[in-house]
Amino acid sequence: CLSWSPPLRRPSAMAMAAALFALLGATLASLLALLVFAPCLGGEWALVWDDTENYGEHMLRRLHWFQDNLLWWMEANVLRVYEPAGLALKACCAAALGELTPLALHRAAAISHAICAGFAFLGSLELLAGSEPRHVPFATHALPALLGSAVFAVHPLCVQVVCWASCLPYIWSTTLCWVALLLYRRSLQARTLSGRSAFMVGTLLAYAAAVFCKASALALPVACTLLRGFQASRRSGDLQKG
């Protein structure tokens, strides 16, 4: 018995060019952030203020992937802050960088900020594309998205977040918010129920991780609601013109 299945669609040249263009923009934003915060990659650093509690000897023993530690992360309330995902990511840093010395923490912060700047470009690009009619060229949004992510990458307000080790969860929470927003946009674009469901599950997981890094991420659904409104208005506009 022979079965037939439709051939897989290959991405068009335009789609591949757009993907490469987006990757290039994200890389440029990340490199700019690394260039500006390059001093964090070396030199001498010290733990100050909340760092002494967040990275004291007792905490450093907890920042390893053991079952007892994992259970402790779910219950811990260090400095009256509940951030189990943030503690898990700190443990990932310990696994990747070794001992979490002040220098290692600042290197992790600089690299994390660079990754966040890259996702800021991708997210801005998607938001701008989602707010315009479909006939507008994809590359039209690249310059404002790159400009916005570049300002974010070098803005003085980021100095405290990158240069204060206790603020690492802020960077991770912001990055995960961008990831959740990107996945949510993909769920709106998906043509099949299984595709929409998969992207929505990814959206919820990224959102939960962002919230459990920093509670300020709770406001993300407002951005997703605005994005859904943009999508709906664009579709209605296309139907009227068609």
Side-chain angles (χ1 to χ4, degrees):
C1 177
L2 297 178
S3 60
W4 179 86
S5 59
L8 295 176
R9 292 184 178 181
R10 294 183 178 180
S12 64
M14 185 176 296
M16 293 182 65
L20 290 174
F21 200 82
L23 180 61
L24 176 62
T27 302
L28 288 175
S30 296
L31 290 176
L32 179 61
L34 270 183
L35 179 64
V36 171
F37 288 98
C40 289
L41 301 177
E44 296 183 1
W45 297 87
L47 299 178
V48 297
W49 301 323
D50 294 351
D51 294 346
T52 55
E53 180 70 21
N54 286 321
Y55 302 104
E57 292 184 6
H58 169 71
M59 279 299 300
L60 291 178
R61 289 195 296 268
R62 289 293 188 179
L63 298 180
H64 295 282
W65 282 93
F66 299 120
Q67 183 178 357
D68 291 343
N69 287 345
L70 195 151
L71 295 174
W72 183 82
W73 297 342
M74 300 303 297
E75 300 175 353
N77 192 17
V78 182
L79 293 177
R80 300 184 301 278
V81 176
Y82 183 69
E83 48 181 27
L87 293 172
L89 288 171
K90 289 176 184 178
C92 291
C93 289
L97 302 175
E99 183 182 356
L100 291 182
T101 63
L103 177 57
L105 289 167
H106 284 83
R107 285 176 175 173
I111 294 170
S112 297
H113 178 61
I115 295 172
C116 187
F119 276 105
F121 170 79
L122 295 175
S124 300
L125 195 63
E126 289 288 350
L127 286 173
L128 289 170
S131 64
E132 294 288 348
R134 295 184 181 181
H135 64 270
V136 175
F138 180 81
T140 303
H141 311 297
L143 183 59
L146 185 59
L147 179 62
S149 58
V151 170
F152 168 75
V154 305
H155 200 283
L157 286 177
C158 293
V159 172
Q160 178 182 359
V161 179
V162 179
C163 298
W164 186 14
S166 290
C167 288
L168 264 171
Y170 286 83
I171 305 175
W172 296 331
S173 179
T174 304
T175 305
L176 288 164
C177 282
W178 282 117
V179 172
L181 200 58
L182 287 166
L183 291 172
Y184 181 68
R185 175 159 165 77
R186 289 292 180 267
S187 73
L188 298 180
Q189 295 174 330
R191 297 183 178 181
T192 63
L193 179 60
S194 59
R196 286 194 295 273
S197 300
F199 282 119
M200 280 304 300
V201 169
T203 301
L204 293 174
L205 290 175
Y207 174 60
V211 170
F212 287 135
C213 278
K214 219 61 187 174
S216 55
L218 284 168
L220 180 62
V222 177
C224 291
T225 302
L226 291 174
L227 178 59
R228 185 60 182 268
F230 283 137
Q231 285 284 97
S233 62
R234 187 181 68 171
R235 289 177 180 174
S236 63
D238 288 348
L239 291 174
Q240 291 176 1
K241 291 179 180 180

